[in-house]
Amino acid sequence: MACTHKDVVFEANANGWVPSGSRTALSQHQEHPARLPAVGLGHGHKPSGGYVLASDRDDEKDGLCQAITPGVLKRGVTYRVAGWISVAAAEEEVGNHQIGHPVRVSIRLGDGACAVVDGGAVWAEPGRWAEIKGAFRLRESPRSAAVVHVHGAPAGVDVKVMDLGIIAADRKARFSYLKDKTDKVRKRDVVVKLGGAPGASVRVVQLDNGFPLGSCINGEVIQNPAFVDFFTNHLDWAVFENELKWYWTEAQRGQLNYGDADRLLDFCDRAGKPVRGHCIFWAVDGDVQQWIKDIGGDRDQLMAVVQDRIRGLLGRYAGRFPHYDVNNEMLHGRFFRDRLGDDVAALMFREAAQLDPGAALFVNDYNVECANDPNATPDKYVDLVRNLQRGGAQVGGIGLQGHVSNPVGEVICDALDKLAATDLPVWITELDVGEPDVALRADDLEVVLREAYAHPAVQGVVLWGFMQGHMWRQDAALVNADGTVNDAGQRFIELRREWTSNARGRLDSDGQFMFRGFHGTYVAQVTTPTGTKMLKAFTVEKGDAALVLDMDT
């Protein structure tokens, strides 16, 4: 969806840029047409080719700035940043196979010691234009001119900026577009057929949706009746917040604790909820327990405990967890790879696949869908998956954690499109939307859920909790501490209701009744004119041709 010009609240003027930094120099250039990027997500028009080069930068904070007209930016409005960024290799990098640098866009508010709002980040490579797709929202309208500031690359690296703009998100237009897309992706024509009974009444009721929505749970929240009530009535899957992590099941070497996980599994079994296995390993140093770190450089001993962890966990729970996050957050951590070599990541997948061949083995990471983390771009995530596959890993899915703020649908969709190129299913595995204003929180939640539901690559969404006082992130609850459902929770329930197909009607003269229904399980009841009732359960799955439900068979 291209934006309209009225949505653009700021467009960089090539003559309006000023340098930041004591020595930074700015100059204007024209890119060769053959090197221009294709039309991107941002403005929806072909790039102009005119760019500004910031050179002689002495510091990461050095770059270029441009003022935004006072009064243009408003509080509570979600804006996205769009444009193209490139860098030129520093002299000492030439010939060293430098692969790029992070470049950031910030919005500075006020004078002097001003507040700074993150407007997005991109990984820019020499000789290539990278599209920036950041987003931000202001808590208060600026009292004076705001300033766009492009910076972030190391000192000595020249930064190029082309066609940078700020665009007000039009969520209503986006939602309207997504409804048509959703109809194609998540629905199918169904024909209920019964011979010799024209005029018979038909009632079809959907029992559940084929697109699961879940939540994390822990040993404390399952003791809370209000939590259990919302969870059992509105959610389909579960994931344990901490109880399956290695630092929980083996805080001290050799002292295993699976009792907490067993109790949560029993709870989910009674509730009929499948559970994601989160996680076998965690790649980030700060989330590795001390006794493992104490092993230090003893490679053989570390490999032995890694093998013990895989065999102990998957040997105990084989067949119980449909999914496993194998080595959590590999875009942000390298604890095991730094000590055991890059091949250990694929080895973890191979070993897990042997012990539990029925489980889908996932990568799982954060910020991939937000366009604000140069270390976690969709392209880097795809490269990670490809490298694992080259090492023999049976990667079964891609997990996007989804710890988001002021989300923009077009940005999320762009990330999903890139991940879909792997042909792997995508799950949003840890969704929480942080926003103090609960009305805006409801809108933000709807943005993410509609994008996920409308995208053919996404197969499910799991919330990272939903109840106030029992969540990792503040200001993200759907249910208040007293058990009342807030605006965000109501929006969640409304979306679930919207994505449910119930139908009534009568068989036509050919003995048929047709409706278009969301994927999921149903029961159909046909009542003939003589009062005979016929019931049949059925499942609507993905398919182009109409599903024919013959009540005679």
Side-chain angles (χ1 to χ4, degrees), residues 113-340:
C114 58
V116 177
V117 176
D118 179 19
V122 70
W123 187 262
E125 301 178 15
R128 298 180 62 183
W129 287 101
E131 186 181 7
I132 190 161
K133 304 181 283 283
F136 68 94
R137 186 160 60 216
L138 303 181
R139 299 294 177 201
E140 299 293 339
S141 297
R143 297 179 180 178
S144 58
V147 173
V148 177
H149 182 202
V150 183
H151 60 104
V157 175
D158 295 347
V159 175
K160 304 175 182 180
V161 181
M162 180 168 59
D163 298 350
L164 191 69
I166 295 175
I167 303 156
D170 187 345
R171 290 180 167 180
K172 288 185 179 180
R174 182 70 185 175
F175 290 168
S176 177
Y177 162 77
L178 289 176
K179 284 188 176 182
D180 292 336
K181 185 179 178 184
T182 297
D183 185 86
K184 296 174 183 177
V185 171
R186 300 293 173 191
K187 299 179 87 173
R188 184 178 181 183
D189 289 332
V190 179
V191 177
V192 179
K193 180 180 178 183
L194 178 62
S201 67
V202 180
R203 183 187 179 194
V204 181
V205 176
Q206 185 169 2
L207 303 178
D208 62 47
N209 195 292
F211 185 93
L213 298 168
S215 175
C216 78
I217 62 173
N218 59 46
E220 179 184 2
V221 295
I222 65 170
Q223 307 301 320
N224 186 313
F227 183 99
V228 172
D229 180 69
F230 190 92
F231 175 75
T232 55
N233 287 316
H234 300 294
L235 295 154
D236 312 305
W237 278 55
V239 64
F240 303 163
E241 187 171 11
N242 295 302
E243 285 83 350
L244 207 66
K245 294 170 182 172
W246 196 2
Y247 66 64
W248 190 283
T249 62
E250 195 175 4
Q252 301 297 325
R253 187 172 186 178
Q255 299 178 20
L256 298 176
N257 166 31
Y258 290 115
D260 296 328
D262 289 345
R263 282 185 284 275
L264 289 177
L265 261 181
D266 289 343
F267 168 81
C268 291
D269 287 345
R270 293 193 301 271
K273 313 291 186 184
V275 187
R276 301 193 74 252
H278 176 77
C279 52
I280 304 175
F281 299 100
W282 202 335
V284 178
D285 286 36
D287 297 292
V288 176
Q289 60 268 51
Q290 189 60 45
W291 70 262
I292 296 175
K293 293 179 179 179
D294 290 343
I295 292 174
D298 190 329
R299 188 180 187 281
D300 291 341
Q301 190 176 169
L302 181 59
M303 181 63 79
V305 298
V306 164
Q307 295 277 8
D308 288 346
R309 165 65 173 175
I310 299 174
R311 293 168 186 155
L313 183 69
L314 277 79
R316 180 183 183 89
Y317 292 117
R320 300 301 304 278
F321 295 100
H323 297 176
Y324 277 104
D325 296 327
V326 176
N327 190 10
N328 199 39
E329 299 176 358
M330 282 189 284
L331 293 174
H332 293 91
R334 295 185 47 88
F335 181 86
F336 298 100
R337 285 176 289 173
D338 284 346
R339 291 157 180 79
L340 298 173

Side-chain angles (χ1 to χ4, degrees), residues 87-114:
V87 295
E91 185 175 339
E92 62 270 19
E93 294 172 341
V94 176
N96 290 337
H97 307 290
Q98 177 64 32
I99 60 173
H101 299 287
V103 178
R104 302 183 181 278
V105 175
S106 300
I107 313 301
R108 298 197 327 224
L109 309 171
D111 301 320
C114 58

Side-chain angles (χ1 to χ4, degrees), residues 385-420:
V385 170
R386 300 296 192 206
N387 287 334
L388 288 168
Q389 291 172 328
R390 282 191 285 270
Q394 297 178 26
V395 182
I398 296 176
L400 297 180
Q401 291 185 8
H403 302 294
V404 301
S405 300
N406 47 263
V408 171
E410 291 89 340
V411 175
I412 295 171
C413 184
D414 183 67
L416 293 173
D417 286 345
K418 290 179 178 179
L419 298 178

